[in-house]
Amino acid sequence: MIQDYTLHTHTVGFDGRDSVQSMVNRARDLGFKTIGVSNHFIVNPIIKYTKMYPFSVHGGYSNIYSSSFDEALLRFVPHYHEIEMLREQNPDMKILRGMEADFFDYNGWRERFEMAINILQPDYIIGSAHFVSYNGTLLNSHDWKNADEQTQKILIQKYWENIARAAASGLFTWMAHLDLPKKVGLGVEEQWVEFEQRAIEAAAKSKIGIEINTSFYRSFCYEPYPSNRILKMAAENNVPVIISDDAHETKNIGRHFDEAGQLIRDLNLKTLTR
Ligand SMILES: [Zn+2]
Ligand SMILES: [Zn+2]
């Protein structure tokens, strides 16, 4: 098995469909020895005024968004407590407490994020950016699709600059789904190579990894996040990779790990050691 653990997973109470225990059971059935739970840690005082927030309420997953660090802690403290209880009940499995944290650069974010991390003591932190700050609001990747072409270019550029800053911050264990704009068909042109390069160099400099996120394997575009051209840069810069299924339900666990493993061998990528 190329990787007998999964660390990028989401569970019920956040935006996942299944309980931590059922995710653990599924991982065990697949022969995994370790599972990490990495629910969203997204804190921004204006998050509930964004265009996409009502959709999250309607969809039943608004719990992933917090206006304050206190609010996020109120969710994560009992969540981590539950994971600790499950460790005792599943001694054959190593269950890790992770998080997928959105990087923001508003005044005070970093300081308070570090305080929250001090309290929670997660085993690892996945860095991500699902939003771009624009015109006094936050635009989610789904909003980028509907912007006019000129604005899209600005948004993609801001996205990559944000990713490079997040990678350089030293706060994260690895970076999630690096070329996320691809989700809505954006940022695939050659012109973005220099921005991708800067993000990879920032990851190399702070000695963190990136993930091969297998949630993007689709019939129309059979590849993970990020693209081969980014993975080649990772290989050249000695940036290690980890395979992530980004599982939001039990059936997603371990998806396309074989294909991702083949990419690791073909591109001679280093893997993130835990
Ligand atoms: Zn994500
Ligand atoms: Zn995720």
Side-chain angles (χ1 to χ4, degrees):
M1 206 187 291
I2 179 77
Q3 185 182 296
D4 63 351
Y5 55 88
T6 179
L7 299 184
H8 188 154
T9 68
H10 300 275
T11 58
V12 81
F14 294 84
D15 67 343
R17 274 159 113 50
D18 294 311
S19 68
V20 178
Q21 181 63 66
S22 38
M23 299 292 268
V24 170
N25 292 345
R26 175 66 181 151
R28 180 190 288 114
D29 289 347
L30 289 171
F32 289 3
K33 302 280 181 283
T34 300
I35 180 170
V37 183
S38 61
N39 280 304
H40 290 286
F41 192 95
I42 306 175
V43 184
N44 194 300
I46 63 170
I47 201 84
K48 294 182 185 175
Y49 303 101
T50 58
K51 195 176 159 198
M52 67 85 48
Y53 185 73
F55 292 97
S56 74
V57 174
H58 186 72
Y61 60 92
S62 59
N63 268 354
I64 66 173
Y65 300 119
S66 299
S67 303
S68 70
F69 281 90
D70 283 346
E71 189 182 1
L73 282 170
L74 277 174
R75 297 199 169 106
F76 266 77
V77 168
H79 173 54
Y80 274 13
H81 187 68
E82 186 204 357
I83 295 174
E84 270 162 39
M85 306 280 283
L86 291 175
R87 280 175 175 172
E88 288 164 32
Q89 290 160 27
N90 299 269
D92 61 320
M93 292 288 286
K94 189 168 176 185
I95 310 175
L96 297 177
R97 301 178 314 177
M99 62 167 65
E100 180 181 6
D102 269 56
F103 176 81
F104 292 109
D105 59 0
Y106 63 82
N107 203 8
W109 179 82
R110 184 179 179 127
E111 188 186 22
R112 279 172 266 168
F113 181 67
E114 286 178 335
M115 282 167 63
I117 292 313
N118 239 326
I119 293 166
L120 292 170
Q121 299 284 329
D123 296 308
Y124 60 94
I125 309 173
I126 310 173
S128 65
H130 299 91
F131 292 88
V132 163
S133 174
Y134 183 74
N135 257 352
T137 187
L138 297 167
L139 297 181
N140 183 268
S141 51
H142 295 285
D143 304 320
W144 309 344
K145 192 182 171 64
N146 305 316
D148 61 76
E149 207 174 317
Q150 192 51 39
T151 310
Q152 282 179 340
K153 282 190 178 144
I154 296 167
L155 294 172
I156 300 169
Q157 183 164 338
K158 278 171 157 283
Y159 170 80
W160 279 110
E161 287 165 357
N162 207 19
I163 287 293
R165 275 199 297 273
S169 72
L171 294 168
F172 307 117
T173 321
W174 74 86
M175 295 298 301
H177 42 61
L178 224 51
D179 53 356
L180 186 66
K182 185 165 77 179
K183 183 175 189 169
V184 289
L186 298 175
V188 294
E189 302 86 355
E190 268 308 296
Q191 70 181 108
W192 299 106
V193 165
E194 59 178 301
F195 290 91
E196 296 165 359
Q197 184 72 35
R198 265 177 243 152
I200 288 295
E201 282 166 10
K205 208 172 165 198
S206 45
K207 298 197 188 319
I208 62 168
I210 62 167
E211 68 181 15
I212 299 182
N213 185 311
T214 58
S215 72
F216 196 67
Y217 277 102
R218 312 269 168 83
S219 52
F220 62 89
C221 179
Y222 206 70
E223 65 173 47
Y225 299 106
S227 64
N228 260 32
R229 78 178 177 209
I230 296 175
L231 288 174
K232 281 178 192 155
M233 289 175 203
E236 283 160 17
N237 289 273
N238 280 317
V239 171
V241 298
I242 180 171
I243 306 173
S244 291
D245 46 40
D246 207 344
H248 285 68
E249 48 191 314
T250 54
K251 70 173 187 197
N252 298 153
I253 295 180
R255 57 179 153 179
H256 304 288
F257 272 26
D258 289 344
E259 289 98 321
Q262 193 59 49
L263 274 178
I264 290 174
R265 285 187 289 269
D266 290 349
L267 299 174
N268 204 12
L269 284 153
K270 276 206 311 181
T271 51
L272 197 70
T273 45
R274 295 180 305 112

